[in-house]
Amino acid sequence: MKYTIRHQFRNLNTYGLDFYVTNFFKKFYDELKKKYPQHEFEVLLNPEYEKYGQGGIYSCMSLSLINPNNENYILISLFDNWKYHFMSHMGWNANKMKKFFYAGGFNYLDYFNFKQSKNNDLKFPENIEMVYEPFFYNPYFDCCYDKMTELFENRNPKYDKLFFRGWMWDSRKKMTENVDRDDILIIDKNIGESNLPYIDYLKELTEYKVSLSLPGGTEICNRDIESFAIGVPVLRPSLSVNYPNPLIPNYHYVSFFHPCDYTSMGTPKYIDYTSFQKNLEYNWDLIKDNKK
């Protein structure tokens, strides 16, 4: 049988390192052809897909495998906003979605509040519990795993500080705007030449006692996975994303806050950023002198 694939295959790399997401889909496609040689796979690409952005149907961040006889499809996505996959103007027809493999911050409370919105552009699967399948998030680049192991085995922090280097979008600024302490270092990559080569970034992260992870486009972040890989403890808000093997608060990471309002179009918002910051600092004070 001949199946259709919607995906923009790209070779994205920085400093000679392959971007994890685009490499993941190349490997997936190669394995798909090897495992099912009896089938044909036709890759379709709309040259105008860019107008839909990376949340559209022809994106390098997702891949759809479609049965052309009935247009039912399986979707695999690492795009950091799951809501786009239910929007018709982005090219999706989600009532034809039979499986949704998603690695980012998806949870059912979020989803069902989003589904209540009165918007004719939105379509949904008949039964999301049967459709949704989580799989694990990833580091930013598909590389350097031996180096990560080396950093893990030789980690010896120089600084007793809580550390964050990343893009400080408006939501992250709200989470931290009144944090002003010598033992909490937040570096905004939007300011000056604050971006580092990947290995240098990982090395720098190991020099600090604890990694602060702030939600970005989705609940979880590449920084979480990278910190786990190199042995740096993570302080972050509780995760409600469903993984096959859950990340347990105060076991896999130190949890500090998660009272959210999920009633606004399925977009979780922290109810009180002042309390968010107080909880961040309070929990950092609880653990910062731990020598274990």
Side-chain angles (χ1 to χ4, degrees), residues 19-32:
F19 183 46
Y20 182 94
V21 173
T22 50
N23 229 30
F24 170 85
F25 285 119
K26 283 191 292 182
K27 291 177 180 179
F28 175 80
Y29 181 51
D30 288 343
E31 288 300 316
L32 193 66

Side-chain angles (χ1 to χ4, degrees), residues 45-229:
L45 177 65
N46 183 339
E48 297 185 358
Y49 90 97
E50 293 282 6
K51 71 182 180 182
Y52 297 113
Q54 292 184 341
I57 57 174
Y58 298 101
S59 169
C60 65
M61 300 292 288
S62 65
L63 183 148
S64 305
L65 180 61
I66 306 157
N67 182 337
N69 294 334
N70 53 24
E71 297 186 344
N72 291 337
Y73 64 92
I74 294 169
L75 171 61
I76 305 166
S77 177
L78 288 107
F79 183 59
D80 61 4
N81 192 325
W82 60 264
K83 294 189 290 295
Y84 282 60
H85 302 309
F86 303 93
M87 298 178 180
S88 299
H89 79 275
M90 303 297 287
W92 299 107
N93 184 10
N95 53 14
K96 293 284 188 177
M97 183 192 296
K98 298 305 175 184
K99 279 293 178 183
F100 177 35
F101 293 93
Y102 189 63
F106 179 93
N107 67 73
Y108 291 116
L109 180 60
D110 217 351
Y111 171 82
F112 285 113
N113 275 294
F114 181 61
K115 192 175 179 181
Q116 296 304 312
S117 55
K118 306 297 181 183
N119 187 335
N120 293 330
D121 184 55
L122 301 176
K123 292 183 179 179
F124 300 93
E126 185 174 334
N127 187 342
I128 190 64
E129 291 96 337
M130 297 294 294
V131 170
Y132 169 62
E133 294 284 349
F135 69 102
F136 292 108
Y137 211 57
N138 50 272
Y140 197 79
F141 291 104
D142 187 16
C143 75
C144 321
Y145 302 114
D146 289 343
K147 186 63 181 179
M148 290 180 182
T149 300
E150 180 187 327
L151 290 171
F152 179 92
E153 292 173 347
N154 296 288
R155 193 173 96 88
N156 185 23
K158 295 179 183 177
Y159 311 108
D160 288 337
K161 292 187 178 186
L162 179 62
F163 179 71
F164 175 93
R165 179 190 289 273
W167 307 110
M168 288 301 289
W169 301 306
D170 288 344
S171 60
R172 285 176 169 171
K173 287 178 180 177
K174 289 179 182 177
M175 297 175 194
T176 58
E177 60 188 352
N178 294 317
V179 175
D180 184 16
R181 294 174 48 157
D182 290 339
D183 60 350
I184 300 177
L185 178 58
I186 296 171
I187 299 175
D188 185 354
K189 292 203 298 189
N190 292 305
I191 300 174
E193 300 295 325
S194 298
N195 208 0
L196 294 176
Y198 191 55
I199 295 297
D200 292 343
Y201 157 74
L202 295 175
K203 287 179 179 175
E204 178 187 60
L205 192 52
T206 63
E207 294 178 347
Y208 289 86
K209 186 162 191 175
V210 174
S211 171
L212 172 63
S213 186
L214 300 171
T218 187
E219 257 196 302
I220 198 163
C221 182
N222 306 114
R223 184 177 296 98
D224 293 280
I225 308 305
E226 291 155 350
S227 297
F228 296 154

Side-chain angles (χ1 to χ4, degrees), residues 107-114 219 238-241 258-269 271:
N107 67 73
Y108 291 116
L109 180 60
D110 217 351
Y111 171 82
F112 285 113
N113 275 294
F114 181 61
E219 257 196 302
S238 298
L239 287 164
S240 55
V241 61
H258 197 231
C260 278
D261 175 7
Y262 288 95
T263 61
S264 178
M265 287 291 288
T267 302
K269 296 179 180 179
I271 295 170

